[in-house]
Amino acid sequence: TEKLEKALQEFVNNGGTIVCESECGAFTPQGFYRYPEDRFTVKLTGAAEVGRRTIDKSISVKNGKSNFTLEPYQWLTPLKGGKPTVFASHKDGALTAEYTSGKGRVIFTGSYFAEPYLERWNSGFEELVSLCCSRAHISPSVFPISPKKTAKSFLYIKTGVANGRKVIFLFFPEGSKKGTISVNSTFIKSGKVSEIISGKKISGIKKGKDFAFTVESSDLRTAILIEE
């Protein structure tokens, strides 16, 4: 609706980030089609889709030194115009790209990359989500380093606060006896934690602004860390 479009434009111009899939804003609430140049995103970015293109088997994305592959779905909709930071290109324009608007940004994805992920796990889509979060200056306080994740195996992390002290819950995948996590120094300032099941005290290894902790799993495949 026009009301929602204005709210999103205000959100972005005031510093917010929105992530758009293919053909964002292409239809009115009544189902009438809007041509690419008539969509609200053009007002924010100066870029418009050039139309639907047949899909490739995979899309290569580059973000600095990081590279990953995405699985597209249904079609591709590259864009022309604006001044994008391009992460993935198509011969007809930018396919996955970021556009600044006011104090904020719009990230276009140019297909429906979440759809294949529902059918089969692929690390590329998770990398895309991570990329969108990082561009919006959002990052987790605790990040898994090992064991390496697979489709059905990963180190699950939850964080919280108890009596003013930071707490980290780790749930280990089957067969994993230990794991390593990276913890931001603003979250655990001392660089020291206690594992309350075993009673062990663990000191982190400083790496830049973070601490690396290697933690052993209990028989319950769980560890609970509390800051010292």
Side-chain angles (χ1 to χ4, degrees):
T1 64
E2 185 177 348
K3 182 179 179 181
L4 177 57
E5 288 181 351
K6 289 182 178 179
L8 289 171
Q9 291 176 45
E10 183 178 354
F11 171 72
V12 170
N13 288 327
N14 286 336
T17 298
I18 61 173
V19 181
C20 303
E21 288 187 310
S22 174
E23 297 198 334
C24 179
F27 294 91
T28 69
Q30 295 77 27
F32 292 105
Y33 182 77
R34 293 189 183 102
Y35 287 99
E37 60 272 19
D38 296 328
R39 298 170 194 168
F40 81 99
T41 51
V42 177
K43 299 175 184 177
L44 289 169
T45 66
E49 293 176 351
V50 298
R52 300 170 182 174
R53 301 293 186 267
T54 56
I55 62 172
D56 298 322
K57 290 183 178 180
S58 62
I59 304 299
S60 297
V61 181
K62 185 174 183 180
N63 176 33
K65 296 181 180 180
S66 175
N67 297 284
F68 57 92
T69 301
L70 291 170
E71 296 183 28
Y73 180 81
Q74 194 159 328
W75 55 56
L76 304 178
T77 50
L79 303 103
K80 285 285 189 182
K83 298 179 179 179
T85 298
V86 180
F87 304 115
S89 297
H90 184 274
K91 65 177 182 178
D92 294 330
L95 190 61
T96 299
E98 176 188 301
Y99 300 79
T100 59
S101 180
K103 297 178 181 179
R105 63 195 59 78
V106 178
I107 300 174
F108 278 98
T109 60
S111 189
Y112 304 106
F113 297 115
E115 194 73 21
Y117 186 82
L118 296 174
E119 300 296 327
R120 57 188 176 276
W121 177 83
N122 64 84
S123 61
F125 179 70
E126 294 183 357
E127 293 289 344
L128 176 64
V129 174
S130 180
L131 169 62
C132 292
C133 290
S134 66
R135 301 299 294 185
H137 307 296
I138 298 170
S139 60
S141 299
V142 183
F143 193 83
I145 298 176
S146 68
K148 186 177 180 179
K149 64 183 177 181
T150 65
K152 297 182 179 180
S153 176
F154 57 91
L155 181 65
Y156 186 81
I157 300 172
K158 293 291 288 185
T159 62
V161 180
N163 291 327
R165 298 166 72 185
K166 302 295 175 55
V167 182
I168 303 171
F169 294 86
L170 302 178
F171 302 90
F172 293 81
E174 189 172 358
S176 177
K177 296 183 178 180
K178 65 180 180 180
T180 302
I181 56 174
S182 177
V183 182
N184 193 281
S185 58
T186 59
F187 189 75
I188 301 289
K189 296 180 181 180
S190 66
K192 298 179 180 180
V193 296
S194 292
E195 201 290 301
I196 65 175
I197 298 176
S198 65
K200 291 182 179 180
K201 296 184 183 298
I202 306 170
S203 295
I205 299 174
K206 192 69 182 293
K207 293 187 176 182
K209 296 181 180 179
D210 300 331
F211 291 102
F213 293 91
T214 297
V215 184
E216 294 182 358
S217 170
S218 69
D219 292 339
L220 300 172
R221 289 170 35 201
T222 305
I224 305 174
L225 309 177
I226 188 165
E227 71 174 325
E228 287 286 309

